């Protein structure tokens, strides 16, 4: 395998000055681990402390909160299509996670330990600002999606997903979109058929 291949997508995402900084890139590559997951594998389990940040080269992931009664609540999706950085609030708080992250497709990620991210951030201010921005984008996306979900009807929200996050409609199994919306899978499928048959 071409040793540059796992870094192609990340190189395209990095600021050009960082991507062309040979010393930085050598360090970044030395810190990275390429990991692969099969569909259904867990990247993070409930109760684990998240020690890593990930960049999705290929794949699709769902964040799930499990209630005390064993009910699944979907809190968001991440993919190679949009928002390729993936982590969990436990990464920041360093407390056991209340969530699990599950692969919904066969996936490949670049894995960076928290220690490595902090080391690079201390010595490369441009990387620090790039990474902070990536984390803020994830947080703002979660807030915005939650606000829209709360303020739209189910039909309006499905239309919104189709207009702005078509990859969710096309790639995420209906069950998980329905769980995210807080409705039954059968009702979601009925609404989807109604909307897209117009």
């Amino acid at each position: 395998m071409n040793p540059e291949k796992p870094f192609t997508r990340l190189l395209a995402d990095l600021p050009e000055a960082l991507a062309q900084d040979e010393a930085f890139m050598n360090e970044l590559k030395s810190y990275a681990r390429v990991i692969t997951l099969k569909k259904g594998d867990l990247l993070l389990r409930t109760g684990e402390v998240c020690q890593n940040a990930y960049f999705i080269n290929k794949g699709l992931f769902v964040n799930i909160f499990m209630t005390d009664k064993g009910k699944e609540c979907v809190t968001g999706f991440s993919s190679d299509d949009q928002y390729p950085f993936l982590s969990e609030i436990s990464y920041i708080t360093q407390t056991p996670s209340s969530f699990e992250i599950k692969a919904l497709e066969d996936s490949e990620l670049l894995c960076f330990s928290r220690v490595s991210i902090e080391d690079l951030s201390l010595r490369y201010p441009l990387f620090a600002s790039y990474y902070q921005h990536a984390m803020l984008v994830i947080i703002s996306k979660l807030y915005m999606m939650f606000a829209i979900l709360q303020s739209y009807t189910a039909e309006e929200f499905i239309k919104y997903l189709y207009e702005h996050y078509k990859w969710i409609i096309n790639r995420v199994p209906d069950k998980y979109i329905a769980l995210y919306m807080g409705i039954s899978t059968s009702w979601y499928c009925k609404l989807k058929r109604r909307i897209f048959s117009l």
Side-chain angles (χ1 to χ4, degrees), residues 153-156 158-159 183 185-198:
T153 66
E155 285 193 39
E156 287 170 339
I158 293 169
K159 288 175 183 173
I183 61 177
T185 306
S186 59
W187 181 235
Y188 170 74
C189 291
K190 191 178 289 185
L191 287 174
K192 194 167 77 163
R193 279 195 302 273
R194 183 194 299 169
I195 292 165
F196 298 124
S197 64
L198 296 176

Side-chain angles (χ1 to χ4, degrees), residues 106-198:
D106 290 350
S107 303
E108 179 190 273
L109 308 99
L110 292 175
C111 173
F112 299 93
S113 74
R114 188 170 187 263
V115 173
S116 300
I117 294 283
E118 288 175 355
D119 181 49
L120 287 170
S121 296
L122 278 172
R123 291 182 299 104
Y124 295 93
L126 185 56
F127 176 76
S129 60
Y130 162 77
Y131 189 69
Q132 285 167 8
H133 175 74
M135 293 299 102
L136 288 172
V137 166
I138 291 169
I139 293 166
S140 64
K141 172 202 75 166
L142 288 171
Y143 275 112
M144 182 57 73
M145 289 285 276
F146 178 76
I148 289 167
L149 181 58
Q150 293 297 306
S151 56
Y152 281 23
T153 66
E155 285 193 39
E156 287 170 339
F157 187 72
I158 293 169
K159 288 175 183 173
Y160 173 82
L161 286 182
Y162 187 77
E163 288 168 15
H164 300 278
Y165 298 93
K166 202 170 184 176
W167 59 268
I168 293 179
I169 296 285
N170 290 340
R171 292 173 66 183
V172 175
D174 293 343
K175 166 192 168 181
Y176 291 106
I177 300 176
L179 281 170
Y180 183 65
M181 293 176 65
I183 61 177
S184 70
T185 306
S186 59
W187 181 235
Y188 170 74
C189 291
K190 191 178 289 185
L191 287 174
K192 194 167 77 163
R193 279 195 302 273
R194 183 194 299 169
I195 292 165
F196 298 124
S197 64
L198 296 176

